[in-house]
Amino acid sequence: MFTSQTSSFQDSIDVEEKDDFDSEEMSGYNQRIQLNCYYTIYLYQGTRSEASGESEAWSQRRADSTTSQDDFSLTLIDSSLPSEAEPELRTYISRRLSKGALLGGMGNIATVELSIPEQAIGCYCCLLEQERSPEQPDADGNGHVICFMGGSEKGLNLYPFSTVAYRFLLELDKYVQGLHSSLQTSELQNLETEVRPYLSRWYEESVMHIHRVVQLVQSNISFLLHAALSHTHVEVHNSDEKTKTDVSRFIKAASLQGLSQQETTTSSLCKAISEDTQSDLIIDCSTSPPTFLNTVSNRFCDDWIQAFLNAAERCNPFLLRQILENFKLKAIQDMNSLKRFVRQAEMSHYALFRCYQFLQGCGNGDVLLQNARAEHNDLPEACSIITVLEEFLREPSQSQA
């Protein structure tokens, strides 16, 4: 049943075919991907704000790089874009602000055309409003507009208007919020020491962690995928903090937490697993490649290994994120199918058989039943069906053993 539905998955990960690279060309390609990301930060001021007490240098900056509208002005503070492309971005942001399309603290992603090699590029932009205080009543409506641009039109905008975009937006919003306290100083005197280094790391911190994890574990990625779906705790030994953080963020990105229709499912599942004898997945980084202990996988997770390896080989972290979200989407679709089959099986033995066939075919029966039991723990009839299905699935595996 899984194989009959893989064409949509294959379509979603198709990218432009590239000729084989030798090591030198691949290194250059990787460097180009790494460099083709940009950031820009603007000062946003409403018409009620007055530029009092500005230094001469800051006043000159405002005069040289400010776009003014009837009800606001937008002033360039810093940008890694080429000089000819930044005014085009500023014009685009001004249009968005004029239409009220930027809400405070909530970013969005769109494709913009700029005078850069990529021409069309995915652009994340977010308005960070300035904190209000009694001493600065005119600060109401002021703030900073922060923009991140990634790679190509198949970069940040690879997955618009989808759960993928929503989850990735939350990560970028969180990263931008981390800059909030650094933007409170007068005239951003900490631009070179805090703001610019932080903005320059957005790609490394918010995008590349999935790529680093796949590069680290290679074909063992299936163990991490299964751990994420089954809410298995993962421990990383003998590694630096960055690697531990990368793995933790990968597990969080690959999990279905927050996507379940039932709010209590995750907590119920975690409680059920804590009572189970399931062991933590351990990654020992003292060896190269890392050694894995207490590994568990299934056919569903194994089927996605090659897609992750291919995207990592092509040095495309945005595509890796798309594949990861496709993986979760397929898991959610299968969970919904199982719930439908379980409801039908309460009234029909034939539906029970269809449910058994589905679990055998999808290759993810252990995870689906684990989640189904947690979600239906207060429904006796459904729990009985799930128990029968667990026994049916256990018998073939025992006979093969």
Side-chain angles (χ1 to χ4, degrees):
M1 190 163 187
F2 175 78
T3 54
S4 65
Q5 299 178 21
T6 54
S7 59
S8 60
F9 159 66
Q10 189 61 48
D11 292 342
S12 70
I13 65 170
D14 278 344
V15 294
E16 182 181 355
E17 291 296 322
K18 297 178 174 65
D19 296 332
D20 292 333
F21 296 104
D22 58 30
S23 59
E24 184 176 351
E25 289 173 326
M26 178 58 76
S27 175
Y29 178 71
N30 188 32
Q31 184 180 22
R32 190 187 67 189
I33 289 291
Q34 185 72 18
L35 291 176
N36 284 359
C37 58
Y38 312 92
Y39 71 85
T40 301
I41 180 170
Y42 297 100
L43 173 67
Y44 171 82
Q45 289 186 301
T47 52
R48 285 186 293 169
S49 303
E50 302 214 354
S52 58
E54 289 183 346
S55 67
E56 183 177 345
W58 185 256
S59 298
Q60 186 64 42
R61 176 193 290 272
R62 285 174 52 80
D64 292 344
S65 55
T66 296
T67 298
S68 297
Q69 300 290 342
D70 292 338
D71 54 352
F72 70 89
S73 65
L74 201 62
T75 302
L76 174 67
I77 295 177
D78 195 33
S79 178
S80 62
L81 278 170
S83 57
E84 64 272 16
E86 184 280 318
E88 299 169 346
L89 176 66
R90 198 182 335 147
T91 299
Y92 166 76
I93 298 299
S94 296
R95 287 200 305 266
R96 301 281 291 175
L97 288 167
S98 298
K99 296 177 181 178
L102 289 183
L103 302 178
M106 298 176 60
N108 57 57
I109 295 175
T111 299
V112 295
E113 294 188 1
L114 304 174
S115 298
I116 53 178
E118 299 83 4
Q119 295 185 341
I121 190 170
C123 175
Y124 163 89
C125 52
C126 180
L127 170 61
L128 270 186
E129 294 179 319
Q130 185 174 334
E131 293 181 357
R132 305 173 188 179
S133 66
E135 293 79 14
Q136 293 179 305
D138 292 333
D140 187 17
N142 293 349
H144 297 84
V145 176
I146 297 172
C147 303
F148 296 140
M149 290 138 285
S152 68
E153 62 180 334
K154 289 187 177 181
L156 279 178
N157 205 34
L158 184 64
Y159 31 76
F161 313 118
S162 66
T163 303
V164 191
Y166 175 71
R167 292 286 292 263
F168 193 35
L169 271 173
L170 290 181
E171 291 189 18
L172 290 176
D173 285 347
K174 183 178 179 181
Y175 189 78
V176 166
Q177 291 293 336
L179 192 61
H180 205 286
S181 61
S182 300
L183 297 177
Q184 307 305 316
T185 62
S186 175
E187 301 180 13
L188 287 191
Q189 296 172 352
N190 58 348
L191 174 62
E192 294 187 4
T193 58
E194 294 181 34
V195 177
R196 182 178 293 159
Y198 190 89
L199 292 172
S200 300
R201 292 195 304 268
W202 80 268
Y203 183 84
E204 180 76 12
E205 297 293 334
S206 299
V207 179
M208 287 299 293
H209 60 283
I210 294 178
H211 184 269
R212 289 194 295 267
V213 170
V214 176
Q215 290 284 75
L216 174 70
V217 304
Q218 293 294 312
S219 60
N220 291 323
I221 194 69
S222 61
F223 301 139
L224 290 182
L225 295 174
H226 190 277
L229 290 184
S230 61
H231 298 263
T232 300
H233 181 65
V234 178
E235 290 189 7
V236 182
H237 295 171
N238 302 311
S239 74
D240 54 25
E241 287 302 317
K242 183 175 183 179
T243 300
K244 292 180 179 179
T245 301
D246 283 347
V247 172
S248 176
R249 292 180 65 192
F250 180 92
I251 293 295
K252 184 177 180 180
S255 75
L256 305 183
Q257 188 171 354
L259 300 179
S260 175
Q261 295 177 354
Q262 298 290 334
E263 292 294 331
T264 58
T265 299
T266 300
S267 59
S268 299
L269 184 56
C270 291
K271 180 181 178 181
I273 291 174
S274 65
E275 296 172 352
D276 197 1
T277 57
Q278 189 171 12
S279 301
D280 296 345
L281 174 63
I282 297 176
I283 306 174
D284 185 357
C285 295
S286 63
T287 61
S288 182
T291 302
F292 283 71
L293 302 175
N294 305 325
T295 57
V296 181
S297 186
N298 57 27
R299 178 160 47 85
F300 176 78
C301 295
D302 292 344
D303 285 340
W304 290 80
I305 294 174
Q306 201 56 50
F308 279 96
L309 295 182
N310 289 345
E313 230 178 89
R314 289 170 172 171
C315 308
N316 193 331
F318 293 110
L319 181 58
L320 273 171
R321 186 58 187 248
Q322 173 71 82
I323 293 171
L324 184 62
E325 296 297 336
N326 284 354
F327 165 81
K328 289 157 53 178
L329 178 61
K330 184 65 176 69
I332 291 172
Q333 290 173 342
D334 287 349
M335 285 182 185
N336 291 335
S337 296
L338 178 61
K339 284 190 285 188
R340 187 174 68 252
F341 284 136
V342 167
R343 287 195 300 267
Q344 295 171 353
E346 294 176 6
M347 299 175 290
S348 166
H349 289 295
Y350 176 68
L352 178 62
F353 178 68
R354 287 180 58 204
C355 193
Y356 168 68
Q357 284 187 312
F358 167 75
L359 289 170
Q360 273 195 320
C362 73
N364 200 24
D366 58 331
V367 170
L368 297 184
L369 287 174
Q370 186 183 54
N371 281 271
R373 178 170 290 281
E375 189 165 339
H376 296 86
N377 61 352
D378 56 345
L379 301 173
E381 290 187 9
C383 285
S384 298
I385 296 296
I386 293 169
T387 299
V388 171
L389 291 169
E390 288 173 337
E391 292 175 355
F392 281 169
L393 289 177
R394 198 177 296 125
E395 288 177 3
S397 60
Q398 288 175 347
S399 62
Q400 290 174 5

